Structure formats: structure tokens, C-alpha cells
Amino acid sequence: KLESHVSSVPGVTGAIYAIRKHLYKPLPAGTLLDDLAIPMNIVMQGYRVVFDSKAVAYDRASTSLPKEWDRKVRTLAGNYQLIFSMPHLMNPMKNPIFFQFLSHKLFRLLVPYAMICLLLVNLFLTYGIYRGILVAQGLFYALAGVGILAQRIKRRGDLTGVIYMGLILGLSPVFGLVEFLRKKPGHIWKRQD
């Protein structure tokens, strides 16, 4: 809603969106994120893509970590695909919502690498605040490990499960990149009943 007030949203929900027919540009076959590519094509034509809070859609959330994992990896592979199929989106002089695109869609691709760098830096900077950050990181990863065990014994809904899921989904950009580089079609959207 706030991105819409500033300028435009970079993507829409695939569950519901509407566009003016004359603004539609066909996408290449195999495009993973039509709900990002189509709106960005519209923005690049000089039009706005807005969020309407009165529009209502009902969608089913993923019911398991494996289903959410598949969705997340497919989505992130689609982000990589979009960068290479629409490189003009990476140019702040051509993309009128470059900051929204960068912060909303691309920074998430850096999360796993930032997590690894932060851990490595804190392993070497063991004084003052860095020691506290390292302890907090260690606790986070330990709780994620407990979450793994809790998932295996079918215990759900506790904080460790949430931390585990957050860690796993935080690492998903690496697997999205692998899927994109392999060009494996296995994560193209498919209905899950």
C-alpha cells in the first residue's frame, strides 16, 4: 500500500490483478513470475501499478514447509530469471521505480550471503558488541536446530519451528539461483490441492 502511494508496486499477487488490455505485452514462454514481469512492463511504459485495498482474493497458504520451500525457490528463481531477461530493470536511469524494485525484489536475494558474512565477521571480531552478536547468532542457529528436531517429531507451532522455517526460507535464494542456472522446469507453478 505504501509503495503504491510513493509511486508503483513492482509486483502484484497472482491471485488477483487487473490491467488495461492495451498495456499488456506478451511474455516469453517459461516466464516464472508473470505477476512481476507484467507489472514491471507496465511501469516501464510510464504507467503506475497500484494496490487497491478493496480488492479481495482468497488463496490457500502453503500447509507444509516442503510446499512453501518449492514456492519460495520457484519465486526466487523467477527473480533471477527476470534480472537476465529484463536487464533494463537494473538501470536506475530507465526504471522509474528502481528503488522499490531493488529493495522489494532484489535485496532478498542477498540474505543468505549476508547471513554467512555476518557469521564469518563475528567469528573474527570477538570483542565488545561483536561477541554479543555472535552469541545471538549462535542461539538463533541452535534454536533452528531444535526446530529441525521438532519438525521431525511432528511438533509444530512453537518458536523453534518458526526460527527453523525462517532460516530455511532465508537460505532459499541460493537454491533459487541453482534452479535458475540449471533451468530446471520443476518449480514452474502447478496447482496444489
Side-chain angles (χ1 to χ4, degrees):
K1 190 172 184 178
L2 293 175
E3 285 177 329
S4 186
H5 286 302
V6 170
S7 178
S8 290
V9 295
V12 296
T13 176
I16 182 173
Y17 67 96
I19 65 170
R20 295 177 184 162
K21 187 176 180 179
H22 74 276
L23 295 178
Y24 176 75
K25 289 185 174 183
L27 300 175
T31 298
L32 294 174
L33 295 182
D34 62 297
D35 54 358
L36 179 56
I38 291 171
M40 287 308 299
N41 276 335
I42 291 169
V43 167
M44 298 304 282
Q45 294 176 64
Y47 292 88
R48 290 180 64 220
V49 176
V50 297
F51 173 78
D52 185 349
S53 60
K54 294 179 285 230
V56 177
Y58 297 94
D59 199 1
R60 282 188 226 157
S62 298
T63 56
S64 70
L65 184 58
K67 287 182 181 179
E68 182 61 18
W69 173 260
D70 287 347
R71 186 196 70 78
K72 193 70 168 174
V73 169
R74 176 192 57 83
T75 300
L76 295 169
N79 283 344
Y80 291 110
Q81 181 190 58
L82 196 72
I83 292 167
F84 287 95
S85 66
M86 298 173 72
H88 54 282
L89 297 178
M90 301 298 294
N91 184 341
M93 303 307 286
K94 291 185 179 179
N95 183 346
I97 63 165
F98 177 75
F99 179 74
Q100 288 99 313
F101 181 72
L102 186 71
S103 63
H104 191 120
K105 296 295 176 185
L106 300 185
F107 281 166
R108 68 178 64 181
L109 301 176
L110 302 177
V111 168
Y113 311 106
M115 290 169 63
I116 292 166
C117 286
L118 185 63
L119 181 61
L120 291 175
V121 165
N122 285 322
L123 285 173
F124 293 103
L125 299 174
T126 57
Y127 54 88
I129 192 169
Y130 301 107
R131 180 172 287 151
I133 294 171
L134 180 61
V135 169
Q137 282 180 286
L139 181 62
F140 175 81
Y141 293 124
L143 289 173
V146 171
I148 292 170
L149 296 174
Q151 291 291 321
R152 291 205 172 140
I153 60 173
K154 306 293 186 215
R155 191 169 155 242
R156 297 178 186 192
D158 63 358
L159 180 63
T160 61
V162 172
I163 292 172
Y164 162 63
M165 185 176 240
L167 175 64
I168 293 300
L169 295 179
L171 295 174
S172 61
V174 174
F175 294 88
L177 178 60
V178 169
E179 289 297 312
F180 167 70
L181 293 174
R182 288 174 51 197
K183 295 186 180 1
K184 183 179 175 190
H187 288 288
I188 293 175
W189 185 88
K190 55 187 175 261
R191 184 182 177 110
Q192 294 182 356
D193 294 321

